[in-house]
């Protein structure tokens, strides 16, 4: 069965420091991977995706993610965190049935402190 | 403005009542989805639809009914609400199928409380 795991419920980082939000996946074949961000009382917003090609994917708001096939990971990163990056982050993998269904991780709360 | 709109944003009702959550998208996306978000569970798929008049169950469909008579609308109905259905509900849409690398676009959610 396909699954996504986000091992940390919360990540705390100081403003200006680099941040990493971890995601590991379990799928057969090549995965389609996504990161979304959710601000309070809002829906999920798409940040970036990995489909194929370069293992380092760049997305919105200065975020990037590194795909590592051998470690089955897709960690979200940013070189310098902002207080405004504080939000709930979801990793997701596309279901292979070609219906477009997404399988989400549990979510990681990112707290950036000034 | 183009986008995906959910209504109402907040709803309080009582157990046993029927309640319908509305979802409307202006992109003409073929696929639409309903999720519920609960602490500790992330987002779980309730139902999805590939096109008008085509719907299918997701991970947690029990107690819910959907319909899709028009491409742009995908209402979710709780036929007899239970307290366990207290949650935040999100609707999403996407261009998918053969374009299945495209992201889903989410509405801002409906916060439903069942007393």
């Amino acid at each position: 069965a396909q699954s996504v795991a986000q091992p940390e419920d919360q990540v705390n980082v100081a403003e200006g420091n680099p941040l990493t939000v971890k995601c590991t996946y379990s799928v057969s074949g090549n995965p389609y991977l996504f990161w979304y961000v959710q601000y309070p009382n809002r829906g999920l917003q798409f940040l970036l995706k990995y489909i194929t090609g370069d293992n380092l994917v760049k997305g919105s708001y200065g975020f990037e993610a590194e795909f590592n096939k051998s470690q089955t990971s897709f960690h979200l990163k940013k070189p310098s965190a902002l207080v405004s990056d504080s939000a709930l982050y979801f990793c997701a993998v596309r279901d292979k049935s070609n219906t477009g269904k997404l399988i989400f991780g549990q979510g990681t709360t990112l707290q950036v402190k000034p | 403005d183009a986008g995906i709109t959910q209504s109402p944003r907040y709803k309080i009702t009582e157990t046993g009542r029927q309640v319908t959550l509305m979802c409307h998208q202006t992109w003409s996306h073929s696929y639409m989805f309903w999720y519920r978000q609960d602490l500790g569970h992330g987002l779980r798929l309730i139902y999805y639809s590939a096109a008008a008049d085509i719907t299918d169950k997701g991970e947690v469909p029990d107690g819910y009914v959907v319909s899709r008579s028009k491409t742009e609308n995908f209402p979710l109905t709780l036929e007899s609400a239970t307290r366990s259905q207290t949650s935040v509900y999100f609707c999403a849409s996407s261009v998918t199928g053969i374009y299945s690398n495209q992201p889903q676009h989410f509405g801002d959610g409906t916060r439903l409380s069942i007393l």
Side-chain angles (χ1 to χ4, degrees):
Chain A
Q2 298 169 100
S3 64
V4 173
Q6 294 180 242
E8 301 155 318
D9 289 337
Q10 183 158 327
V11 170
N12 298 310
V13 64
E15 187 175 29
N17 283 359
L19 69 88
T20 298
V21 182
K22 296 180 180 178
C23 172
T24 59
Y25 65 89
S26 175
V27 300
S28 57
N30 295 319
Y32 288 178
L33 295 159
F34 300 80
W35 274 103
Y36 286 83
V37 60
Q38 184 182 28
Y39 297 102
N41 296 318
R42 299 300 303 274
L44 278 68
Q45 296 179 32
F46 168 72
L47 277 179
L48 51 80
K49 66 182 179 184
Y50 173 82
I51 304 301
T52 187
D54 196 345
N55 290 341
L56 186 63
V57 178
K58 294 189 183 297
S60 306
Y61 312 121
F63 283 93
E64 56 191 26
E66 186 171 10
F67 172 70
N68 187 318
K69 189 171 184 177
S70 63
Q71 297 185 5
T72 62
S73 67
F74 188 55
H75 300 332
L76 182 70
K77 300 182 179 186
K78 188 173 184 181
S80 179
L82 300 173
V83 173
S84 57
D85 292 330
S86 298
L88 182 57
Y89 290 81
F90 288 98
C91 182
V93 63
R94 177 81 80 192
D95 182 90
K96 287 293 193 179
S97 64
N98 208 35
T99 60
K101 291 189 290 184
L102 288 175
I103 300 166
F104 285 90
Q106 303 287 338
T108 298
T109 299
L110 174 66
Q111 189 78 16
V112 182
K113 298 189 176 178
Chain B
D1 290 338
I4 186 163
T5 306
Q6 292 184 238
S7 61
R9 290 294 316 277
Y10 303 92
K11 177 75 176 179
I12 300 173
T13 191
E14 297 175 340
T15 56
R17 297 279 184 116
Q18 182 181 81
V19 59
T20 296
L21 309 184
M22 304 301 293
C23 179
H24 175 80
Q25 53 107 352
T26 59
W27 289 300
S28 299
H29 286 168
S30 57
Y31 277 76
M32 296 186 75
F33 308 84
W34 274 107
Y35 295 90
R36 59 179 290 173
Q37 183 179 24
D38 304 289
L39 274 175
H41 292 279
L43 276 81
R44 293 181 290 176
L45 182 65
I46 304 170
Y47 268 96
Y48 67 100
S49 169
D53 298 322
I54 301 174
T55 62
D56 207 348
K57 295 178 180 179
E59 182 184 356
V60 288
D62 293 344
Y64 302 96
V65 174
V66 294
S67 62
R68 192 150 177 225
S69 57
K70 293 184 178 181
T71 299
E72 61 266 31
N73 296 325
F74 190 38
L76 175 74
T77 298
L78 288 66
E79 293 190 301
S80 180
T82 65
R83 289 196 180 90
S84 65
Q85 293 176 308
T86 292
S87 186
V88 182
Y89 291 85
F90 288 99
C91 180
S93 71
S94 73
V95 174
T96 186
I98 60 173
Y99 304 108
S100 59
N101 61 353
Q102 295 304 308
Q104 292 182 14
H105 300 272
F106 285 78
D108 281 337
T110 294
R111 187 174 295 273
L112 178 63
S113 296
I114 300 166
L115 306 178

